[in-house]
Amino acid sequence: MDSTRVTEQPTSFERPQPGVDPADPRGAFPRTPPPARVPGTGTALPVQGHSGGEMPAPGAGSPGPSKAAPPASPGAASAETVTPGGTGQDPATAPGSEHSQPGSGQDAEPDTHRPRPVPEGIPVQPAAGQGRPARAPDGKERRSGQVTQPGRPTPMRRDGDRLRFVGAATRRIARGIDLDEIVMGLCRATVPTFSDAILVYLRDPLPVGDERPTGPLVLRLRRTDRIPAERDTEGGFLPAATAPEPSGLDSVGEELCTVRPGSALAEVLRGVRPVFTDAPAARAALPELLGEDGASAVPAGQRAILAPLRGRRRVIGAALFLRRPERIPFEADDLLVAAQLATHSALGIDKAVLYGREAYIADELQRTMLPETLPRCTGVRLASRYLPAAETARVGGDWYDAIPLPGSRVALVVGDVMGHSMTSAAIMGQLRTTAQTLAGLDLPPQEVLHHLDEQAQRLGVDRMATCLYAVYDPVSHRITIANAGHPPPVLLELGGRAEVLRVPAGAPIGVGGVDFEAVELDAPAGATLLLYTDGLVESRLRDVWTGIEQLREKLAVTAQLTGPDHPPPLEALCDEVLDMLGPGDRDDDIALLAARFDGIAPSDVAYWFLEPEDAAPGRARRLARRALSRWGMEELSDSVELLVSEVVTNAVRYATRPVTLRLLRTDVLRCEVGDDVPQLPRLRQARATDEGGRGLYLVNRLARRWGATRLSTGKVVWFELNHG
């Protein structure tokens, strides 16, 4: 038989501390180690009783007198267990004990709300009116051996509060996602619960990931929090004994600190562990961190803790916890609390810096993938919008583009690569670049989609995207559209009628082996074409065709607000379209491109064919002079005749088919000369002895802009001049 009899450990009945609400979670008691045994006897020490306290009588709710247990005999077969009544009897036979049956004792009473015994190993808590546990004659607590000061919480109470405080503080720090949130979480969790003031210093600049910092270690004061001198600090983790008074803590801290190699501050930071500032090394480091004035304002004694902040690779800063002189000093266990706070904060800051770098890269990638500004094209006005799926997923596969083409035309492109990742954005960038290259070749829309499909297959078997490619001609007022599995565009006419264009859907890009079909439609002046991705019309709350119908109705209602003779402003129209999205109605990226067709009136266009002969330059000069006279632009006649003569001369020298000459009057005067030779002209510096080679030099000096574009049938050389 064992030498001791173990009583049952209660799990639901514990007496609260005096002045503590039983429902307060701070009243829960941590388990303590089993009682010590007397050396050489194997006998457990009796459970500590109250100093002058009372224990409940067996079977009753009222307290009774406490009795001491008789000493155990070394030769006894078993030691008597101290019962709640303190009688020293065997619990199996003691009246009112847990192991006795109701009614078996001599003075047994009905078993109503009978209290359960206090287990061994958990000291009995002070009763009402008792502030501290029993002490030995030397004034020390029997459980911890520490001297208890008047008004100071018991060590067991402080340990429980520390655990709860560290848990709550680390959760608050972990909630932060960026640098400022994490630092603020550390300060808010610390002041005033753990300290009266905190100063957080971080490296400037903060290293990212595995980057090796260059230059000296510089600490910058990132944030500081303090309790105002007039504020009451009651209710904190270790409340102040008296009301706080003004102190030098309000002036502690300097903005910048350079850590010298081999200095006291460098040694403290290298040590990583938090230290009290009354230690010689920390006391020598304070003037370097805070300045001479700040170091002198730090309270004496163990009222300040300097905790280095170490990330995954290196020390990234330091935190200084301060308590006012009237506050209870820090203890040795508070160094562990400071270490936990510093560790969680430093790792959180490391992750926040990495997340910030990734978010910056994502933003830059998305910004460079999309057009920074839309071009100014003749006869059309453009507006665009892009919305990511969420702030945490800023990179997606949606894109839009507007590409100027020869002949004052413009290509309108909108596409959507499947997915919301960096891979999707990279594929989108490749497809957008390919589309721009194909557009420069002046290929038909269906041919552009065919080559995009081949490019997507080369990128991978699962690289799929939808795309819509349209070419608008402001002279003919026509638009040619080809579609690859994309939602159809919506055309808003000047009278307010909105129509979903009937465009063959086609297969998505990347499927392969599918032909694409293009349709040519009217694009009347004043009409607005809206190209978009499926994120605008499709979500978990509605299917794509329901969303398209809602978009059409939204455009019609918006157009009615401005009347039948005036189209709605383009930028405001884009905002109105996005307002159709309600809360929780956006699951995907949204790319929106709106084009207002102004067109070019036939009276502002002059077009001729010139045979490739020596008389062609002279005829071109005469035709240009007549057109300028008709438009009232005679002041440009000399410049236009000179430049037209040079460009036409260069064209007829190598052309085998008729040369085209076209003049367009818009906000500028544009001249276009086309031939069947694919080689583009090159600007070069003519030598003094050369008889030719100065034509493009004159064009470059006199024209506002000029350029050359290769076509499938040859090339077009154009230039522009400002007019009155």
Side-chain angles (χ1 to χ4, degrees):
M1 181 176 181
D2 297 337
S3 59
T4 58
R5 186 186 303 274
V6 180
T7 58
E8 180 182 349
Q9 299 287 339
T11 59
S12 61
F13 183 85
E14 293 174 338
R15 302 195 65 178
Q17 298 182 10
V20 177
D21 186 357
D24 191 342
R26 293 179 296 177
F29 305 139
R31 294 184 179 273
T32 57
R37 302 181 180 275
V38 178
T41 62
T43 306
L45 291 176
V47 175
Q48 298 178 9
H50 286 274
S51 177
E54 296 179 350
M55 300 297 295
S62 60
S66 176
K67 298 182 181 180
S73 173
S78 63
E80 295 180 346
T81 303
V82 179
T83 64
T87 60
Q89 299 179 4
D90 190 294
T93 59
S97 68
E98 179 177 298
H99 299 282
S100 61
Q101 299 296 327
S104 61
Q106 298 177 356
D107 300 326
E109 295 181 3
D111 187 15
T112 58
H113 305 289
R114 174 168 47 85
R116 304 177 71 177
V118 177
E120 296 186 30
I122 298 182
V124 179
Q125 300 299 310
Q130 301 294 329
R132 298 179 299 276
R135 303 183 192 178
D138 57 357
K140 295 183 177 180
E141 299 175 4
R142 293 179 180 176
R143 186 180 67 87
S144 63
Q146 299 177 354
V147 179
T148 304
Q149 301 177 3
R152 184 175 178 179
T154 62
M156 181 184 63
R157 172 72 180 274
R158 289 196 306 273
D159 292 344
D161 281 345
R162 284 192 181 94
L163 291 176
R164 282 186 289 274
F165 165 72
V166 170
T170 52
R171 286 193 298 271
R172 187 165 190 171
I173 295 170
R175 282 198 297 264
I177 194 172
D178 61 17
L179 182 60
D180 292 333
E181 288 180 353
I182 293 173
V183 175
M184 184 176 66
L186 171 63
C187 295
R188 296 288 175 84
T190 303
V191 179
T193 309
F194 181 68
S195 62
D196 295 327
I198 181 175
L199 286 79
V200 180
Y201 286 84
L202 297 179
R203 293 185 73 132
D204 186 29
L206 277 169
V208 180
D210 296 332
E211 290 182 356
R212 299 182 64 88
T214 58
L217 171 59
V218 178
L219 299 180
R220 182 179 294 275
L221 183 61
R222 184 77 184 192
R223 186 181 178 90
T224 174
D225 275 3
R226 298 179 176 87
I227 302 177
E230 64 275 5
R231 178 177 174 180
D232 185 12
T233 58
E234 285 295 330
F237 169 47
L238 292 179
T242 59
E245 298 179 357
S247 67
L249 264 64
D250 298 330
S251 61
V252 172
E254 284 194 349
E255 182 70 19
L256 210 61
C257 165
T258 301
V259 182
R260 300 185 303 273
S263 63
L265 180 57
E267 294 299 324
V268 172
L269 296 179
R270 188 179 296 113
V272 177
R273 297 180 181 276
V275 294
F276 292 119
T277 55
D278 61 348
R283 178 58 62 179
L286 285 180
E288 187 177 356
L289 180 65
L290 307 176
E292 294 294 341
D293 296 338
S296 61
V298 174
Q302 294 183 352
R303 287 185 171 84
I305 295 177
L306 180 59
L309 302 178
R310 179 175 177 82
R312 296 186 307 133
R313 302 288 183 184
R314 60 188 66 83
V315 173
I316 60 174
L320 183 63
F321 304 93
L322 300 167
R323 285 185 180 175
R324 300 182 185 273
E326 65 273 4
R327 183 84 173 263
I328 299 175
F330 289 111
E331 299 180 351
D333 290 342
D334 293 327
L335 292 177
L336 301 178
V337 175
Q340 287 288 329
L341 297 177
T343 299
H344 282 81
S345 301
L347 294 178
I349 290 171
D350 251 1
K351 294 177 181 178
V353 173
L354 287 173
Y355 173 79
R357 173 60 64 86
E358 292 181 357
Y360 171 78
I361 294 174
D363 289 342
E364 287 296 306
L365 177 62
Q366 189 70 58
R367 185 184 64 81
T368 54
M369 292 299 181
L370 296 175
E372 193 168 329
T373 57
L374 292 174
R376 296 186 60 184
C377 303
T378 303
V380 62
R381 286 175 286 171
L382 303 171
S384 63
R385 294 291 186 274
Y386 176 82
L387 293 179
E391 286 298 322
T392 55
R394 305 179 186 181
V395 178
D398 293 17
W399 92 90
Y400 62 88
D401 213 340
I403 309 168
L405 298 179
S408 300
R409 296 172 300 155
V410 59
L412 307 174
V413 190
V414 64
D416 183 5
V417 178
M418 295 182 181
H420 304 90
S421 62
M422 302 285 265
T423 303
S424 301
I427 297 174
M428 177 264 285
Q430 291 176 304
L431 293 180
R432 177 173 177 248
T433 303
T434 304
Q436 289 179 331
T437 304
L438 296 172
L441 299 177
D442 198 28
L443 298 178
Q446 64 272 22
E447 291 296 326
V448 172
L449 294 183
H450 175 72
H451 288 292
L452 284 177
D453 179 63
E454 293 180 340
Q455 175 67 11
Q457 294 180 64
R458 285 191 291 267
L459 295 177
V461 294
D462 56 346
R463 310 307 189 193
M464 298 182 64
T466 62
C467 182
L468 191 143
Y469 188 93
V471 175
Y472 170 65
D473 189 345
V475 177
S476 63
H477 297 273
R478 303 282 289 178
I479 185 169
T480 306
I481 306 176
N483 191 6
H486 203 79
V490 180
L491 183 67
L492 177 63
E493 298 181 0
L494 185 60
R497 177 174 177 269
E499 177 187 4
V500 180
L501 298 182
R502 298 179 179 273
V503 180
I509 291 173
V511 173
V514 180
D515 292 332
F516 299 98
E517 183 180 354
V519 294
E520 187 174 352
L521 305 171
D522 289 331
T528 303
L529 184 69
L530 199 69
L531 309 180
Y532 54 90
T533 56
D534 58 355
L536 180 66
V537 295
E538 184 180 20
S539 69
R540 291 171 293 181
L541 305 179
R542 57 184 176 179
D543 61 85
V544 61
W545 290 108
T546 301
I548 292 175
E549 180 61 24
Q550 292 178 359
L551 173 62
R552 188 194 65 80
E553 295 175 355
K554 182 70 173 179
L555 291 174
V557 172
T558 304
Q560 292 175 1
L561 299 177
T562 58
D565 299 330
H566 302 281
L570 207 55
E571 297 290 342
L573 181 64
C574 293
D575 294 334
E576 288 292 331
V577 167
L578 295 180
D579 285 343
M580 65 179 284
L581 299 172
D585 198 20
R586 181 156 61 91
D587 307 324
D588 199 358
D589 304 337
I590 297 176
L592 179 65
L593 179 62
R596 173 72 44 78
F597 300 143
D598 294 332
I600 300 177
S603 59
D604 294 330
V605 180
Y607 192 85
W608 305 279
F609 286 94
L610 303 175
E611 292 295 331
E613 55 188 12
D614 295 340
R619 185 185 176 202
R621 289 193 297 268
R622 291 191 299 271
L623 294 174
R625 187 186 312 115
R626 292 174 187 172
L628 294 177
S629 177
R630 185 171 65 251
W631 292 335
M633 304 171 64
E634 292 85 353
E635 70 277 3
L636 297 179
S637 295
D638 294 338
S639 300
V640 172
E641 289 183 32
L642 175 60
L643 299 184
V644 166
S645 178
E646 293 294 337
V647 175
V648 171
T649 298
N650 188 71
V652 300
R653 179 176 299 177
Y654 306 101
T656 58
R657 296 180 181 180
V659 175
T660 61
L661 172 62
R662 185 165 71 169
L663 295 180
L664 303 173
R665 184 184 65 168
T666 57
D667 54 342
V668 296
L669 179 66
R670 182 183 178 96
C671 177
E672 300 174 350
V673 177
D675 58 62
D676 60 345
V677 180
Q679 286 79 15
L680 298 180
R682 180 171 57 89
L683 180 64
R684 64 185 180 89
Q685 187 70 33
R687 293 174 297 184
T689 57
D690 291 341
E691 295 183 0
R694 295 175 177 84
L696 288 182
Y697 178 77
L698 294 175
V699 174
N700 185 60
R701 293 299 300 268
L702 298 179
R704 173 179 175 266
R705 289 194 312 158
W706 78 278
T709 305
R710 182 179 286 111
L711 305 178
S712 57
T713 58
K715 68 175 180 295
V716 169
V717 180
W718 57 269
F719 62 86
E720 293 177 352
L721 293 173
N722 293 322
H723 60 81

